[in-house]
Amino acid sequence: MNDCLPTESGLWQYVESTIRQVVASYGYQEIRTPIVESTDLFKRSIGEVTDIVEKEMYTFEDRNSDSLSLRPEGTACVVRAGNEHGLLYNQQQRLWYMGQMFRHERPQKGRYRQFHQFGVEVFGLAGPDIDAEVILLSARLWKKFGISQNVTLEINSLGSADARVSYKKQLVAFLKTRESELDEDSLRRLKTNPLRVLDSKNPQVQNAVKDAPKLIDCLDEESAKHFQGLCERLDNLGIQYRVNPALVRGLDYYNRTVFEWVTESLGSQGTVCAGGRYDGLVEQLGGKATQGVGFAMGLERLVLMLQTLDLDKNIVSVVDIYVTAMDESVELYARQVSETLRDAVPQIKLMNHCGGGNFKKQMKRADQSGASIAFIIGQDEMASQQVAIKYLREKQPQETISLNELTHFTQKLFNV
Ligand code: ATP
Ligand code: MG
């Protein structure tokens, strides 16, 4: 589990605010649910024989001996809340959430025990138009972050539950012929959840299943039409994708559309966003049948990708202007000037020097703050109602401007 230190929180805030802006631009509404839920919720939704439920959940008994778990993902929580508050049946909802998730996994780059997901969940819409929309929304985020070139979209269809039953028989028959090449996990899944063998990360298993019959060739007619509808929309919108017949997703509740955005910039933890359709989940969790589709994005992996880019310093800067006060007699003047500027330019990032000290010391602090400009305020400046402006990062001569001009000067700096 990670601390988010001041050196990183700027980037995190930038990620979060960009996400908020993009979801708002599609008319999605935020939902916040508790971090702890009844363990049973995840068993019933994610599936008993999935990695998450079998070995990754933080589960404990509370004082009433109820079994609770820290949430390992968001979808089940949103469906639980939606059912509980009557948000889902016979309605359309386009929701999003962002927050901590917990899984007891082996920590490594891009894989942590507490991590953050941003996700969207849409309810009450059956067609491929909404599948295309949630993919489009995720694609817009890559564009906003300037990483469209670093991610690729993979899609597949899992068809209907019925079609999967007959496919499973074919798959099991095939896997039995390769039993000697499967690892212990896959042998177990062969009995409990054979589709998940296709999801194995073990290269030897991947090789063994590469010629397995493909689910996408066994789709029921409706699902095939749905998938074709999605592909057409993505084509028309210029969203490139690869159909990956081995994409089955680790969670039990998906049907029809599944997709992942993957990257090569993060080593083996290559999936930054994953989702799909889960038309049966609402009913499975006790609500009236309602279609659902959504995705979850791993924010640590997104942040790792952004850290490799040379982001505009302005995006993540903490301080843009550092205001000095050369002795105690000008402290009040420097404060008043600063407060006026905070009134005039709400997005300003301005830090006032505190703690006294000579010119050299104050300029050292100004430099450490990361600011690009220092306002130098001494007795002369106060007497003439001026401020001296020193550029800390560019070769530009120092200038002195009057208080009247200062607001305008600062507004221009921030494009107000
Ligand atoms: P993986 O195959 O990498 O284990 P998953 O299929 O378990 O992923 P999901 O449950 O689909 O992952 O979660 C959606 C996204 O959340 C993932 O694509 C990933 O970006 C992120 N994620 C999942 N588990 C972790 C983790 N332990 N640490 C950091 N991010 C994670
Ligand atoms: Mg996992």
Side-chain angles (χ1 to χ4, degrees):
M1 299 190 188
N2 295 318
D3 295 309
C4 182
L5 300 177
T7 43
E8 290 173 6
S9 53
L11 182 55
W12 276 88
Q13 288 178 1
Y14 162 67
V15 166
E16 290 160 4
S17 60
T18 306
I19 287 172
R20 289 199 167 87
Q21 196 184 39
V22 168
V23 287
S25 77
Y26 285 81
Y28 285 51
Q29 287 179 298
E30 184 179 9
I31 181 162
R32 302 185 187 196
T33 65
I35 282 177
V36 185
E37 297 272 358
S38 153
T39 303
D40 189 49
L41 172 69
F42 302 113
K43 287 193 176 163
R44 284 193 294 145
S45 55
I46 299 170
E48 298 258 9
V49 281
T50 54
D51 283 351
I52 294 181
V53 171
E54 276 181 342
K55 50 191 189 205
E56 295 175 358
M57 282 207 296
Y58 283 90
T59 297
F60 60 96
E61 274 190 9
D62 75 356
R63 285 166 191 275
N64 309 329
S65 304
D66 292 327
S67 180
L68 304 182
S69 294
L70 300 185
R71 62 183 184 192
E73 59 107 39
T75 304
C77 310
V78 172
V79 172
R80 197 262 317 133
N83 280 340
E84 202 169 308
H85 300 281
L87 303 181
L88 306 184
Y89 179 61
N90 238 346
Q91 298 178 61
Q92 295 180 358
Q93 295 283 358
R94 297 184 212 197
L95 307 175
W96 67 274
Y97 62 85
M98 183 151 54
Q100 290 92 333
M101 306 293 160
F102 302 84
R103 297 185 194 176
H104 194 275
E105 305 197 66
R106 193 168 69 77
Q108 51 199 290
K109 184 182 172 195
R111 190 178 294 287
Y112 312 100
R113 292 181 171 177
Q114 175 186 269
F115 60 102
H116 295 75
Q117 284 182 339
F118 150 67
V120 310
E121 314 289 358
V122 177
F123 298 96
L125 289 163
D129 52 349
I130 190 67
D131 300 18
E133 178 174 289
V134 299
I135 290 174
L136 198 59
L137 188 157
S138 54
R140 176 167 297 276
L141 275 169
W142 313 136
K143 196 166 116 189
K144 280 254 175 191
F145 288 127
I147 54 174
S148 302
Q149 298 308 315
N150 307 65
V151 289
T152 52
L153 174 63
E154 301 197 343
I155 62 175
N156 192 23
S157 176
L158 301 181
S160 67
D162 288 347
R164 266 202 314 275
V165 170
S166 69
Y167 169 73
K168 259 184 208 170
K169 286 190 192 128
Q170 288 182 43
L171 180 66
V172 169
F174 171 86
L175 291 174
K176 289 233 160 101
T177 68
R178 302 291 156 100
E179 247 170 335
S180 60
E181 295 162 64
L182 301 182
D183 60 10
E184 206 180 306
D185 256 357
S186 300
L187 286 171
R188 200 163 40 87
R189 286 185 183 141
L190 178 55
K191 298 205 181 76
T192 54
N193 192 350
L195 233 64
R196 294 286 323 285
V197 178
L198 300 177
D199 204 28
S200 168
K201 303 232 158 69
N202 180 342
Q204 194 197 320
V205 175
Q206 280 175 359
N207 192 46
V209 301
K210 108 177 158 289
D211 299 322
K214 295 183 170 51
L215 184 48
I216 195 134
D217 298 329
C218 314
L219 291 187
D220 53 294
E221 209 181 308
E222 279 299 299
S223 297
K225 223 173 99 194
H226 186 101
F227 191 60
Q228 196 193 347
L230 172 63
C231 293
E232 273 168 23
R233 284 170 174 83
L234 295 178
D235 290 337
N236 293 337
L237 290 161
I239 307 248
Q240 287 173 9
Y241 58 88
R242 186 173 83 88
V243 177
N244 175 3
L247 185 66
V248 295
R249 308 281 309 113
L251 293 70
D252 273 358
Y253 50 59
Y254 288 106
N255 68 303
R256 291 200 176 162
T257 308
V258 287
F259 65 92
E260 287 191 357
W261 286 96
V262 294
T263 178
E264 290 182 349
S265 347
L266 294 178
S268 54
Q269 268 53 255
T271 307
V272 281
C273 174
R277 186 164 271 284
Y278 47 87
D279 295 328
L281 183 62
V282 174
E283 194 174 19
Q284 196 179 315
L285 290 179
K288 294 222 172 78
T290 306
Q291 303 91 346
V293 54
F295 65 72
M297 195 175 280
L299 296 188
E300 278 74 8
R301 294 183 193 178
L302 175 56
V303 165
L304 278 169
M305 284 178 76
L306 294 178
Q307 279 168 340
T308 64
L309 301 178
D310 200 17
L311 281 183
D312 184 351
K313 288 278 178 298
N314 288 332
I315 289 176
V316 290
S317 77
V318 182
V319 176
D320 298 316
I321 301 173
Y322 194 89
V323 180
T324 65
M326 287 308 156
D327 61 59
E328 227 176 285
S329 69
V330 300
E331 184 190 315
L332 179 63
Y333 173 67
R335 264 300 163 196
Q336 286 166 337
V337 170
S338 305
E339 290 302 309
T340 310
L341 291 176
R342 290 191 180 99
D343 284 337
V345 186
Q347 67 269 53
I348 201 168
K349 296 176 190 166
L350 178 149
M351 182 181 268
N352 287 93
H353 181 84
C354 285
N358 60 20
F359 180 80
K360 203 172 148 212
K361 182 178 164 194
Q362 297 205 18
M363 292 318 292
K364 197 172 152 201
R365 293 271 182 234
D367 185 51
Q368 285 170 344
S369 77
S372 50
I373 286 178
F375 289 172
I376 316 279
I377 298 181
Q379 288 179 9
D380 290 349
E381 284 77 17
M382 183 169 80
S384 55
Q385 293 286 290
Q386 290 178 317
V387 165
I389 293 170
K390 190 172 165 58
Y391 294 90
L392 302 173
R393 318 283 161 196
E394 320 163 40
K395 276 210 164 70
Q396 258 201 77
Q398 185 167 322
E399 52 183 311
T400 303
I401 62 177
S402 71
L403 274 195
N404 293 337
E405 292 166 306
L406 189 63
T407 301
H408 184 62
F409 170 88
T410 312
Q411 283 172 332
K412 247 175 56 193
L413 272 184
F414 289 90
N415 297 318
V416 185

